Amino acid sequence: MTVTIRDVARLAEVSIATVSRVLNRSKPVSPELEEKVMKVVDELGFNPNPVARTLIMKESLLIGVLIPDVSNTFISMFVRGIEEELFQNGYTALLCNTNSDTKIELHYLDLLRKKYVDGIVLLTSAPKPEQIQFFKKHKIPVIFSSHTDKDSRFSCINIDDYQASYDAARYLIGLGHRSIAFFCGPMEYYQTIRRFDGYKQALADHGVDYRAEWVFDKDYDIDSGYNSGMELFAREDRPTAICCVSDMVAIGAIRAAEDSGLGVPEDVSIMGFDDIPIAGASRPRITTVRQPVYELGTRSAQMLLRQIRGKEQYKREAIVLPHEIIERESCRALTT
Amino acid sequence: MTVTIRDVARLAEVSIATVSRVLNRSKPVSPELEEKVMKVVDELGFNPNPVARTLIMKESLLIGVLIPDVSNTFISMFVRGIEEELFQNGYTALLCNTNSDTKIELHYLDLLRKKYVDGIVLLTSAPKPEQIQFFKKHKIPVIFSSHTDKDSRFSCINIDDYQASYDAARYLIGLGHRSIAFFCGPMEYYQTIRRFDGYKQALADHGVDYRAEWVFDKDYDIDSGYNSGMELFAREDRPTAICCVSDMVAIGAIRAAEDSGLGVPEDVSIMGFDDIPIAGASRPRITTVRQPVYELGTRSAQMLLRQIRGKEQYKREAIVLPHEIIERESCRALTT
DNA sequence: CATGATTAGGTAAACCTTTTCCTGTTTCTC
DNA sequence: GAGAAACAGGAAAAGGTTTACCTAATCATG
C-alpha cells in the first residue's frame, strides 16, 4: 500500500542505508547511486514515514501550544503568529486549551512530552510550580509567553505589563483625570497583578488617590466589563475614567456606560488594552494600549526554534516587546 | 532514562507480551500475573510510548483541523468547540491555517496523513477537486464543515447558508426595505455563493429589485465592510439596508456609515451574520443571523469520532444545524 | 483413557526509519 | 610498491510497541 524505504531500495538496487543517506545527506553517496535513488524516489513518490522517524530520532516536528482559550481574539491572533512561523519551518502546532486550569495544563504537558513534541509555547495565567517542576525534570524546550519569570532558567517573551498599565494610567492622568477606576482580571493572574501594580504606581507617582472600591477583578471578557460597569455606574460617586485590562472589557464597559445613560468619552473616558482589530472600528473607537500580539506569536516560535536547534549551547532569552498607546476616541481630556 | 515496556517485563518477571496484554486487555492474563505487572507499572510510572504505538497501530489520537485562519473570531470559536470535544475523548488537535489556499491545504493534508492523524475536520472556502481526490484515495475519516457536498460520499455539517441569507434578506424586506445591498465575501467561496443566491431569491420572491451595483464582494473582515461601505455611501443612490456576510463586515459597514455621516439604523439598516460575542455589545447592537458555531465545532468532532470508531459500518452523515435571526438594534422598520 | 479443544504465556516478527559498525576498495604517502 | 588512511556502501541493530504464531498445559468429551 504505502511505499516504504524498502521499496525504494529494492527498485534502485541499493541498500536501505544508501537511500536514507541520499535523502538525509547524512553521509556522502556516489553521484551514480544518488541519481538512481532519486529517480526511484520520484517515481514512487516516496516520503519517509515521520512517525518512524520520530521514534528513532526523538523529534517530531510538533510543537505544543498551551493557551487558556483560542476563542479569545487576543489569543487566537497570538496563535496565528506562532502557527505562521512554525509552518515556514516545517513544524505543526498541537493546540491545547487549558482554561488556565492547572490540572488540564499538567495533563497536556505530559501528553505532549509523550508525543515527543520538540518544544512547547506556554501561555498561562501565572507561572505555576508544577510547570517549573515539569520543565526542570524533562528538558523540553519551552517559551513562557505570559510572564517574565526573572530568576527562572527558561526563556520568555512578553510585553512589560507593569509599564504598559502604568503608561495607560499616566496617559489618563495626563488628560487631567484624577479619579480612575481599574477593571481587571482575576488577581491570581500574573498579568493582572503586574498591571494592577503599574496602575497603582502611576496613581501614586502623580498624587492621585487610589480607591479600592474602584477596582473590579472579574475576567477579561465583554460580560465582565459590562457587569463591572453597571455596578460602578449605578453609584453616586463615579470616576471620570477607567483603565481596562482588555479591549473586550472596555467594550463591555462602554456598553454599560451607554446603558446607564453615560456618554463615552463625554462622561467617562474608557481605556482598553491589547488593540484587537475591533478596537479601531467600534464606536467610539477605543483608545488602547497596543500589544504586538502577532509578533509576540512569531517571535515566540522563532525563539523556540532557535532553542530546539541550538540544543546545548542555547542561552536563555528574555525578550520584552514594546507596547504603545494608541489614541483614539474613547478617552478625552478633562477641561475643568 | 525513560522506562519502557521491557523494563516492566523484566521487573515483573514476565514477557513484554504479557505486559502489553495487561495494559491493553487484548488477551486474558491470569490474575496473579496481572497484579504483578500492574504493581511494577505503578512503581515505575510506566506509560506506553505513543509514537511506537502509532507506528504499529496506525492510529495517533491526533486530529487535523484545517481552517482558513484562527484569528477570525468565528473560526476560533469553532475550533474551540472541536478541541473541547476532542479533549474529552483523549484526542488532540493539530492546527493548520490555510488561508483557504489550495496549495497549503494540500500540503497540510499530506502532512497530516503522514502523521497518521485519525481524522480531519476541514473548513474550507469551497470543496476542491484535489481535496475530494485526496479523501477518495486515502481513506481518512473526514468531516467537511464548510459546505453540504450533497452528492458526495463524505460527511458534512453546517448551517443552511442559502436559507439563512434568504431569511436575513426577507427579514429586511419584512421591515419595509425595498433597496437592499449585499456585502459578501469572494465569489470563489462556496458560502458566499450560497448566501448570495439566498439573498437574490429572497428579493425575487418578494418583488424587490436586484441591483448588481449594490453587491460588494470583498472579504469577511472589518476592513472589507468598511471599504465597501465607504464606496457605497459616497454614491447618490443609496440602499436603505445592507445584508452583510459576517458581523465583522457589518461592523466595518457601520463604521463607514458613521464616517459618512449616516446613522445606523436611522439612515441605513445593517444586518450581520454569525453572532459573535461582539455583535451583542457593539453600538448599535447588531441584528444578525446566529450560527451555532461552538456547537458546529463540538458536533463536527463528535461525528468524526463516530466515524473513526465505526470504521467500516459508519454511514455518511449530513447535518444541518439551525440558524436564527437575532433582532437587535442595527435594523429598523421603514415607516414610509 | 485417549483425543481434540481451549487456554496462558512466551518468542519473535512487524511497523519504518536512522545509524553504528564493518568490509572491501581506492587513494595517498614515504 | 607497501602500508596506512580515506571512503563508499551494506548488514544489522535500535527505537518501543503490538500481535501472529507457537508451545505446553489444562480441560472436556466420547
Side-chain angles (χ1 to χ4, degrees):
Chain A
M1 189 64 226
T2 58
V3 30
T4 76
I5 196 173
R6 220 169 228 94
D7 303 323
V8 178
R10 191 156 20 79
L11 262 83
E13 298 171 308
V14 298
S15 73
I16 55 172
T18 302
V19 178
S20 176
R21 279 166 195 150
V22 169
L23 258 29
N24 300 313
R25 313 207 154 283
S26 48
K27 226 181 148 188
V29 170
S30 73
E32 308 91 75
L33 285 195
E34 170 156 355
E35 194 192 349
K36 236 162 92 180
V37 168
M38 285 314 291
K39 202 169 148 228
V40 177
V41 165
D42 287 344
E43 265 169 21
L44 299 185
F46 169 69
N47 278 117
N49 179 324
V51 177
R53 222 161 175 284
T54 297
L55 183 59
I56 195 166
M57 306 195 66
K58 272 124 178 47
E59 82 167 29
S60 59
L61 296 180
L62 251 33
I63 300 293
V65 177
L66 253 76
I67 48 172
D69 179 7
V70 237
S71 67
N72 174 318
T73 303
F74 178 78
I75 294 178
S76 70
M77 290 171 71
F78 175 73
V79 171
R80 184 67 219 265
I82 294 176
E83 206 271 344
E84 193 71 35
E85 192 69 30
L86 292 184
F87 176 71
Q88 300 294 344
N89 290 273
Y91 286 78
T92 315
L94 234 47
L95 192 72
C96 311
N97 289 292
T98 64
N99 286 328
S100 290
D101 178 327
T102 308
K103 266 263 178 58
I104 300 183
E105 283 171 357
L106 246 46
H107 169 88
Y108 265 132
L109 245 25
D110 217 56
L111 187 78
L112 292 175
R113 181 182 59 80
K114 287 194 287 179
K115 288 207 188 289
Y116 288 116
V117 294
D118 295 343
I120 293 175
V121 176
L122 190 57
L123 189 66
T124 181
S125 56
K128 310 195 179 146
E130 297 94 329
Q131 296 168 352
I132 305 292
Q133 208 51 38
F134 177 90
F135 287 106
K136 274 186 178 160
K137 189 166 169 192
H138 313 285
K139 300 205 175 305
I140 302 174
V142 62
I143 304 293
F144 283 82
S145 282
S146 40
H147 54 90
T148 345
D149 192 12
K150 277 199 179 122
D151 44 35
S152 133
R153 68 187 67 181
F154 306 113
S155 284
C156 53
I157 182 169
N158 47 359
I159 62 159
D160 186 337
D161 281 296
Y162 173 88
Q163 190 63 44
S165 189
Y166 184 99
D167 291 349
R170 194 178 48 187
Y171 172 79
L172 289 170
I173 293 168
L175 250 32
H177 294 277
R178 290 294 173 273
S179 53
I180 305 172
F182 193 61
F183 285 9
C184 63
M187 279 301 177
E188 311 91 67
Y189 288 15
Y190 184 89
Q191 280 181 340
T192 302
I193 299 168
R194 298 280 299 163
R195 294 188 191 167
F196 184 46
D197 288 347
Y199 157 81
K200 278 194 298 192
Q201 192 59 47
L203 298 194
D205 285 358
H206 297 83
V208 176
D209 282 350
Y210 163 71
R211 300 232 243 142
E213 72 272 22
W214 281 354
V215 175
F216 291 76
D217 58 329
K218 294 207 165 62
D219 217 325
Y220 280 74
D221 57 21
I222 293 181
D223 287 349
S224 301
Y226 185 79
N227 294 335
S228 300
M230 290 310 279
E231 198 178 324
L232 178 61
F233 299 138
R235 299 186 192 156
E236 302 254 307
D237 191 18
R238 286 193 316 259
T240 61
I242 304 173
C243 259
C244 295
V245 85
S246 79
D247 289 335
M248 282 301 187
V249 169
I251 286 168
I254 290 172
R255 192 71 245 180
E258 280 166 23
D259 288 358
S260 307
L262 264 30
V264 178
E266 307 85 75
D267 303 310
V268 226
S269 287
I270 295 183
M271 182 113 195
F273 204 108
D274 286 347
D275 193 30
I276 57 179
I278 196 78
S282 72
R283 185 162 106 198
R285 289 184 171 92
I286 301 173
T287 295
T288 194
V289 181
R290 188 176 119 73
Q291 290 199 64
V293 55
Y294 182 82
E295 195 185 346
L296 237 21
T298 54
R299 296 285 293 272
S300 295
Q302 286 166 9
M303 285 169 75
L304 188 58
L305 260 25
R306 263 204 298 282
Q307 188 170 344
I308 291 168
R309 286 162 182 164
K311 279 288 166 209
E312 304 311 322
Q313 72 269 32
Y314 172 80
K315 279 217 281 300
R316 168 175 185 276
E317 299 180 60
I319 294 183
V320 176
L321 255 35
H323 57 270
E324 181 187 359
I325 292 201
I326 308 287
E327 293 192 68
R328 287 197 273 246
E329 306 162 351
S330 67
C331 298
R332 75 172 182 103
L334 227 52
T335 49
T336 36
Chain B
M1 188 65 223
T2 58
V3 28
T4 76
I5 197 172
R6 226 172 221 95
D7 303 323
V8 178
R10 191 157 19 81
L11 263 82
E13 298 170 306
V14 297
S15 74
I16 56 172
T18 302
V19 178
S20 176
R21 280 165 194 151
V22 169
L23 258 29
N24 299 314
R25 313 206 156 286
S26 49
K27 228 180 147 188
V29 170
S30 72
E32 307 91 76
L33 284 195
E34 169 156 358
E35 195 192 348
K36 237 161 93 179
V37 168
M38 285 314 291
K39 203 170 146 226
V40 177
V41 165
D42 287 344
E43 265 170 21
L44 298 185
F46 169 70
N47 278 115
N49 180 324
V51 177
R53 223 162 174 282
T54 296
L55 184 59
I56 196 165
M57 305 195 66
K58 273 124 178 45
E59 84 166 29
S60 59
L61 296 180
L62 250 32
I63 300 292
V65 177
L66 252 76
I67 48 172
D69 179 6
V70 237
S71 67
N72 174 318
T73 303
F74 178 78
I75 294 178
S76 71
M77 289 170 73
F78 174 73
V79 171
R80 185 66 219 265
I82 294 176
E83 205 271 344
E84 192 72 32
E85 193 68 30
L86 292 184
F87 176 71
Q88 300 293 342
N89 290 273
Y91 286 78
T92 314
L94 234 44
L95 192 73
C96 311
N97 289 291
T98 64
N99 287 327
S100 289
D101 179 326
T102 307
K103 266 265 179 58
I104 300 183
E105 283 171 356
L106 247 47
H107 169 88
Y108 265 132
L109 245 26
D110 215 56
L111 188 77
L112 292 176
R113 181 183 60 79
K114 287 194 287 179
K115 288 207 188 289
Y116 289 118
V117 294
D118 295 343
I120 294 175
V121 176
L122 190 56
L123 190 65
T124 182
S125 57
K128 313 201 177 142
E130 297 94 329
Q131 294 168 355
I132 306 293
Q133 209 50 38
F134 177 89
F135 287 105
K136 274 185 179 161
K137 189 168 171 193
H138 314 286
K139 299 203 175 305
I140 301 175
V142 62
I143 304 293
F144 283 82
S145 281
S146 39
H147 56 91
T148 344
D149 192 12
K150 276 198 180 121
D151 45 33
S152 135
R153 70 188 66 182
F154 306 113
S155 285
C156 54
I157 182 168
N158 47 0
I159 62 160
D160 186 338
D161 281 296
Y162 173 87
Q163 190 62 43
S165 189
Y166 185 100
D167 291 350
R170 193 177 50 186
Y171 172 79
L172 290 169
I173 294 168
L175 250 33
H177 294 277
R178 291 295 172 270
S179 54
I180 304 173
F182 193 62
F183 284 11
C184 62
M187 279 300 178
E188 311 91 68
Y189 287 16
Y190 184 88
Q191 280 182 340
T192 301
I193 298 168
R194 298 281 298 164
R195 293 186 192 169
F196 184 45
D197 288 347
Y199 157 80
K200 278 194 295 191
Q201 192 59 47
L203 298 193
D205 287 356
H206 298 82
V208 176
D209 283 350
Y210 163 71
R211 301 233 241 143
E213 73 271 24
W214 281 354
V215 174
F216 292 76
D217 58 330
K218 295 208 164 63
D219 217 324
Y220 280 73
D221 57 21
I222 293 181
D223 288 348
S224 302
Y226 184 79
N227 294 335
S228 300
M230 290 310 279
E231 199 178 325
L232 178 62
F233 299 137
R235 299 186 192 157
E236 301 254 309
D237 190 18
R238 286 193 317 260
T240 61
I242 304 172
C243 259
C244 295
V245 85
S246 80
D247 289 335
M248 282 302 187
V249 169
I251 285 168
I254 291 171
R255 193 69 244 179
E258 280 165 22
D259 287 359
S260 307
L262 264 29
V264 179
E266 306 86 73
D267 303 310
V268 227
S269 287
I270 295 182
M271 182 112 194
F273 204 109
D274 288 347
D275 194 29
I276 57 178
I278 198 79
S282 73
R283 185 162 107 197
R285 289 183 171 93
I286 300 175
T287 294
T288 193
V289 181
R290 187 176 120 74
Q291 290 199 62
V293 54
Y294 182 82
E295 196 185 346
L296 238 22
T298 54
R299 296 286 293 273
S300 296
Q302 285 166 9
M303 286 168 74
L304 189 57
L305 260 25
R306 262 204 298 283
Q307 189 171 342
I308 291 168
R309 285 162 183 163
K311 278 287 167 208
E312 304 312 321
Q313 71 269 33
Y314 172 80
K315 280 215 280 299
R316 168 177 186 275
E317 300 179 60
I319 295 183
V320 175
L321 255 33
H323 58 271
E324 180 188 1
I325 291 201
I326 308 287
E327 295 193 65
R328 287 199 273 246
E329 306 162 351
S330 67
C331 298
R332 77 173 180 103
L334 227 52
T335 48
T336 35

